[in-house]
């Protein structure tokens, strides 16, 4: 399989799995809008979506999505060994590996992404609140951080592109 086809399959699968886990691009775009609307008077949702699309095209982002979602699914099915099963299932605060995986996404667009990520991770607006709802029966230990990181990276990309335009 050529590198181009493998990358295409990786991106298609990452996008498919996001949708299957209840995350739409517009949900992430709303997070980008939340993070950036104060800094861009005429920011449109389409611009947020465009920046998310660019973030999702990055192979390291796709790898983080695939890895995190797979771990969430395995935990949901009770298929991990203890004590990892209980740790991921409970989304223990001191675990931190979910945030480390998210940092691989945030790192793609520089240090501003860390502040954006930390902000949405703490506030949990929009889709992040839904993904953190333990009553759903779903395990989103990794997914909530991945979605926040995608939004933070897209926000960073938007900020860098705006800076260059000025």
């Amino acid at each position: 399989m050529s590198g181009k086809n493998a990358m295409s399959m990786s991106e298609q699968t990452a996008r498919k799995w996001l949708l299957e886990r209840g995350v739409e691009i517009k949900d992430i775009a709303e997070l980008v809008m939340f993070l950036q609307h104060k800094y861009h008077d005429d920011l449109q949702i389409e611009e947020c979506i465009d920046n998310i699309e660019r973030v999702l095209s990055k192979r390291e982002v796709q790898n983080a999505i695939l890895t995190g979602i797979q771990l969430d699914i395995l935990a949901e099915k009770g298929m991990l060994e203890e004590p990892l099963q209980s740790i991921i299932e409970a989304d223990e605060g001191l675990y931190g590996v979910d945030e480390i995986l998210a940092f691989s996404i945030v790192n793609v667009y520089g240090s501003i992404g860390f502040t954006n990520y930390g902000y949405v991770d703490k506030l949990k607006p929009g889709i992040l609140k839904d993904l953190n709802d333990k009553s759903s029966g779903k395990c989103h230990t990794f997914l909530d951080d991945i979605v926040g990181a995608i939004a933070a990276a897209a926000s960073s990309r938007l900020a860098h592109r705006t800076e260059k335009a000025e």
Side-chain angles (χ1 to χ4, degrees):
M1 184 182 297
S2 75
K4 187 171 184 176
N5 288 339
M7 192 133 136
S8 177
M9 178 187 273
S10 177
E11 184 172 353
Q12 287 175 12
T13 303
R15 289 171 176 274
K16 178 179 158 228
W17 286 6
L18 283 170
L19 279 172
E20 288 174 355
R21 300 298 284 179
V23 178
E24 296 184 21
I25 300 298
K26 76 169 184 53
D27 298 323
I28 304 172
E30 289 169 3
L31 293 174
V32 175
M33 187 68 90
F34 172 79
L35 286 166
Q36 292 295 305
H37 76 276
K38 290 182 253 181
Y39 309 106
H40 307 278
D41 294 335
D42 58 348
L43 183 61
Q44 300 295 312
I45 198 79
E46 295 78 19
E47 191 172 1
C48 298
I49 289 170
D50 179 58
N51 282 283
I52 293 162
E53 297 291 349
R54 298 297 185 124
V55 169
L56 290 174
S57 73
K58 298 287 189 184
R59 185 61 180 259
E60 53 268 62
V61 173
Q62 297 157 18
N63 289 339
I65 293 168
L66 296 174
T67 302
I69 289 176
Q70 190 63 204
L71 285 167
D72 282 346
I73 291 169
L74 291 171
E76 208 170 272
K77 293 178 179 180
M79 296 177 71
L80 298 171
E81 297 291 324
E82 290 296 346
L84 191 59
Q85 175 65 40
S86 296
I87 292 168
I88 293 177
E89 201 171 34
D91 195 3
E92 285 187 11
L94 293 177
Y95 177 58
V97 177
D98 46 340
E99 281 87 5
I100 297 301
L101 186 63
F103 289 160
S104 69
I105 295 171
V106 172
N107 273 336
V108 174
Y109 290 101
S111 61
I112 190 172
F114 280 100
T115 56
N116 283 327
Y117 172 73
Y119 187 63
V120 295
D121 189 46
K122 186 74 173 166
L123 292 180
K124 305 227 184 293
I127 185 75
L128 298 180
K129 180 180 179 190
D130 298 337
L131 293 174
N132 274 281
D133 181 3
K134 306 290 186 248
S135 70
S136 72
K138 298 280 187 184
C139 178
H140 297 303
T141 298
F142 286 88
L143 183 59
D144 69 316
D145 293 302
I146 288 167
V147 169
I150 294 167
S155 295
S156 299
R157 185 178 189 281
L158 179 63
H160 283 288
R161 292 181 61 80
T162 302
E163 183 70 24
K164 287 179 183 173
E166 289 176 353

